């Protein structure tokens, strides 16, 4: 892979990883348009590894929150009184909520790396999950506006049951890439009556351990394939670019959801899904 393509794919990953529009779907489409074989082990691993850049951006952005939650969790392990801290429960919630996606990822690894990457699957998931997100957005807390976002549940009201439900939704994303991991987790949060900002922040927190683990696993198990098919220099460039772009995207998204619904994303998802169907159906790109 040449450096220009690495930068392009890094930008795509950085923009789409945390937006509810499917980063894997976008990467697959752009990789196809750049004439790469998305079914190869090396390209599959490349896609997972460059996500680490975006996740590290989230770690940096939410570093203060992460330190607070981790500290509360360790204090709760040693002190019964400290277990009343909502951050202790949130820490356990993030751990337990990460289990479903890990189990599904390991059980369906071959399906995820081949069949699930079909553009037909991505197009269908983009369109169909948009209906789910629309229902979740309507259910959440009424009309858009800064005032309404405070009426839903906040971060300190997350229960273990909430975390497991959000984690279960997250596990759908790797099986059907067009759903989008953030789209799945945000939808779950909205169905559970969290306000939009909290649902979005929970999506970030739930994604950090899952995507770091997935990227690390691929980096270790498919290091040779990446070296042969993509090259580690291009992979590192794309990872750094994705991190820089993702940091800006996180800041923008949190401001956006504080006073807007997700309608614009849903329209985009449907239009993109229809465009993929046209491109694949006419033979412009292969599924």
């Amino acid at each position: 892979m040449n450096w220009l393509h690495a930068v392009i794919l890094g930008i795509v990953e950085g923009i789409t990883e945390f937006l509810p529009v499917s980063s894997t779907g976008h990467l697959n489409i752009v990789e196809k348009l750049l004439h790469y074989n998305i079914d190869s082990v090396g390209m599959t691993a490349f896609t997972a590894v460059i996500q680490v850049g975006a996740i590290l951006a989230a770690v940096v952005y939410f570093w203060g929150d992460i330190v607070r939650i981790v500290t509360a969790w360790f204090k709760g392990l040693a002190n019964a009184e400290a277990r009343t801290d909502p951050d202790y429960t949130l820490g356990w919630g993030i751990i337990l909520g990460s289990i479903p996606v890990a189990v599904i990822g390991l059980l369906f690894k071959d399906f995820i790396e081949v069949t699930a990457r079909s553009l037909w699957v991505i197009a269908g998931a983009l369109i169909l999950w948009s209906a789910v997100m629309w229902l979740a957005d309507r259910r959440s807390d009424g009309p858009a506006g800064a005032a309404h976002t405070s009426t839903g549940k906040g971060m300190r009201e997350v229960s273990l049951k909430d975390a497991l439900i959000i984690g279960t939704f997250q596990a759908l994303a790797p099986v059907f890439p067009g759903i989008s991991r953030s789209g799945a987790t945000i939808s779950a949060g909205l169905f559970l009556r969290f306000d939009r900002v909290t649902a979005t922040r929970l999506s970030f927190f739930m994604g950090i351990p899952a995507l770091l683990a997935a990227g690390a696993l691929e980096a270790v198990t498919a290091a040779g394939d990446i070296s042969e098919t993509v090259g580690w220099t291009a992979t590192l460039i794309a990872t750094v670019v994705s991190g820089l772009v993702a940091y800006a995207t996180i800041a923008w998204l949190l401001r956006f959801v504080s006073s807007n619904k997700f309608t614009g994303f849903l329209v985009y998802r449907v239009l993109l899904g229809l465009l993929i169907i046209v491109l694949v159906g006419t033979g412009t790109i292969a599924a």
Side-chain angles (χ1 to χ4, degrees):
M1 180 181 292
N2 64 54
W3 290 11
L4 176 60
H5 287 181
V7 170
I8 291 171
L9 291 170
I11 291 172
V12 172
E13 165 61 23
I15 292 174
T16 60
E17 179 58 52
F18 299 116
L19 301 183
V21 295
S22 178
S23 62
T24 302
H26 278 78
L27 284 171
N28 287 354
I29 294 165
V30 177
E31 288 164 359
K32 278 279 190 180
L33 292 174
L34 294 175
H35 306 294
Y36 291 104
N37 176 16
I38 65 172
D39 292 335
S40 72
V41 176
M43 282 304 298
T44 301
F46 167 82
T47 300
V49 170
I50 68 171
Q51 290 176 335
V52 173
I55 294 303
L56 289 178
V59 171
V60 173
Y61 192 93
F62 293 106
W63 181 250
D65 297 289
I66 293 170
V67 170
R68 190 190 71 248
I69 294 167
V70 171
T71 300
W73 185 76
F74 275 109
K75 283 183 177 179
L77 291 179
N79 188 317
E81 185 178 349
R83 293 169 198 161
T84 60
D85 187 339
D87 284 330
Y88 172 74
T89 303
L90 180 57
W92 272 117
I94 293 170
I95 294 170
L96 296 177
S98 301
I99 294 174
V101 71
V103 172
I104 294 297
L106 293 174
L107 289 179
F108 296 94
K109 189 174 187 293
D110 293 338
F111 175 83
I112 290 168
E113 292 181 348
V114 182
T115 307
R117 291 170 66 84
S118 165
L119 293 184
W120 286 117
V121 174
I122 292 170
L126 278 167
I127 294 171
L128 295 176
W129 195 261
S130 295
V132 177
M133 286 198 68
W134 179 75
L135 289 172
D137 207 17
R138 284 195 55 171
R139 175 183 171 84
S140 60
D141 51 9
H148 88 275
T149 57
S150 63
T151 61
K153 293 194 296 184
M155 191 67 70
R156 298 183 73 80
E157 298 173 83
V158 179
S159 67
L160 294 182
K161 178 182 177 182
D162 292 331
L164 281 171
I165 292 173
I166 294 172
T168 301
F169 269 63
Q170 179 172 244
L172 296 172
V175 182
F176 304 102
I179 286 178
S180 160
R181 189 203 59 79
S182 58
T185 50
I186 289 172
S187 296
L190 295 177
F191 276 126
L192 292 168
R193 302 288 192 181
F194 287 100
D195 64 63
R196 289 184 180 84
V197 173
T198 299
T200 303
R201 288 170 67 88
L202 282 171
S203 175
F204 290 129
F205 293 158
M206 289 292 184
I208 288 172
L211 293 179
L212 278 179
L217 178 64
E218 291 292 350
V220 172
T221 60
D225 296 292
I226 292 176
S227 180
E228 291 177 9
T229 61
V230 179
W232 273 105
T233 300
T235 301
L236 291 174
I237 289 172
T239 302
V240 171
V241 171
S242 75
L244 296 174
V245 175
Y247 190 91
T249 302
I250 293 167
W252 174 83
L253 181 61
L254 288 173
R255 288 196 302 271
F256 177 84
V257 298
S258 69
S259 58
N260 292 275
K261 289 193 172 190
F262 290 97
T263 306
F265 294 115
L266 306 186
V267 172
Y268 174 78
R269 287 172 59 94
V270 172
L271 292 177
L272 179 62
L274 293 174
L275 176 61
I276 294 171
I277 291 172
V278 170
L279 291 175
V280 176
T282 57
T284 304
I285 55 177

